[in-house]
Amino acid sequence: MAALPGAAGVVVAQTEEEQGPAGIDLFLPAGYDLFWSAVVLVIIAAVFYKMVLPQMNKVLDERAALIEGGIEKAEAAQKQADEALAQQQALLAEARADAAQVREEARAEGTAIVKDLRVKASQEAERITETARRQIEADRQAASVSLRTEVGTLATELASKIVGESLEDSARQSRVVDRFLDELEASQAVASNKEA
């Protein structure tokens, strides 16, 4: 029976070699596979390092430069926009101040013009009133002279008829007319004093 266990061992060993690796050997590749895989990996890595990686770095650097340039441009544009906004606000404030000053000047000019027009209107009214007074006085004097002449003529004719003598002498006629008008004015003055 001793021979049997040995023969059985040989049979078992042959069946294991025919079946392939078992246990942990299933996860570990054969040595030659590791060697050739490492050679291919080194070749691919060298090609990647020499050809692909510089191109990728170049593209990434260009993109980074574009992004940084875009950021700088955006910052510059923002700065310009802020400056333009500040300048516009300053101009707007200045325009508002100018408008307020113009408004105040216009009010002052308007007040001065109104005052000047009132003074001119007052002066014109006084001038018109004075002219009217002078005209009235001139008309009154003309009426008085006309009235004296007419009343004098009528009084002279009446007195001539009453007295029976002619009063054609102008000096005499003038004295009679003046005396008659003076008496007439005196009687009117007394009458107006009694009414008051």
Side-chain angles (χ1 to χ4, degrees):
M1 267 227 264
L4 272 178
V10 173
V11 173
V12 171
Q14 283 180 348
T15 48
E16 283 182 4
E17 285 180 14
E18 291 175 6
Q19 287 182 357
I24 191 115
D25 288 337
L26 284 174
F27 295 107
L28 294 176
Y32 62 89
D33 281 339
L34 283 176
F35 173 76
W36 288 113
S37 294
V39 169
V40 170
L41 181 65
V42 168
I43 293 171
I44 291 174
V47 170
F48 181 80
Y49 183 74
K50 288 289 183 181
M51 298 180 104
V52 176
L53 190 62
Q55 290 294 334
M56 287 179 62
N57 283 338
K58 182 179 175 185
V59 169
L60 291 175
D61 289 342
E62 288 174 359
R63 286 188 181 179
L66 286 175
I67 291 171
E68 287 175 4
I71 290 172
E72 289 174 2
K73 286 180 184 178
E75 287 174 352
Q78 183 65 37
K79 185 178 179 181
Q80 287 177 348
D82 290 342
E83 289 173 358
L85 179 62
Q87 190 176 26
Q88 185 180 21
Q89 287 175 347
L91 289 174
L92 184 61
E94 184 179 335
R96 285 181 180 160
D98 287 346
Q101 183 180 3
V102 167
R103 225 178 300 127
E104 288 302 318
E105 288 174 0
R107 282 185 188 141
E109 285 180 19
T111 304
I113 289 171
V114 167
K115 188 176 181 181
D116 187 43
L117 288 176
R118 283 182 182 163
V119 168
K120 286 181 180 178
S122 175
Q123 290 173 349
E124 184 68 17
E126 288 176 11
R127 187 188 62 78
I128 290 172
T129 304
E130 185 61 31
T131 304
R133 282 186 196 142
R134 287 182 189 158
Q135 184 65 36
I136 290 171
E137 183 62 30
D139 288 347
R140 188 184 69 75
Q141 286 179 359
S144 175
V145 169
S146 174
L147 181 64
R148 281 182 186 263
T149 305
E150 288 179 22
V151 168
T153 305
L154 287 174
T156 307
E157 288 177 11
L158 184 60
S160 295
K161 288 181 184 178
I162 291 176
V163 173
E165 72 177 74
S166 175
L167 296 174
E168 300 264 335
D169 183 19
S170 65
R172 194 183 297 169
Q173 184 180 8
S174 180
R175 281 192 307 256
V176 169
V177 170
D178 286 340
R179 191 177 26 171
F180 177 73
L181 288 176
D182 289 339
E183 289 174 4
L184 184 61
E185 285 178 4
S187 67
Q188 284 179 351
V190 169
S192 58
N193 285 340
K194 286 182 181 179
E195 290 177 5

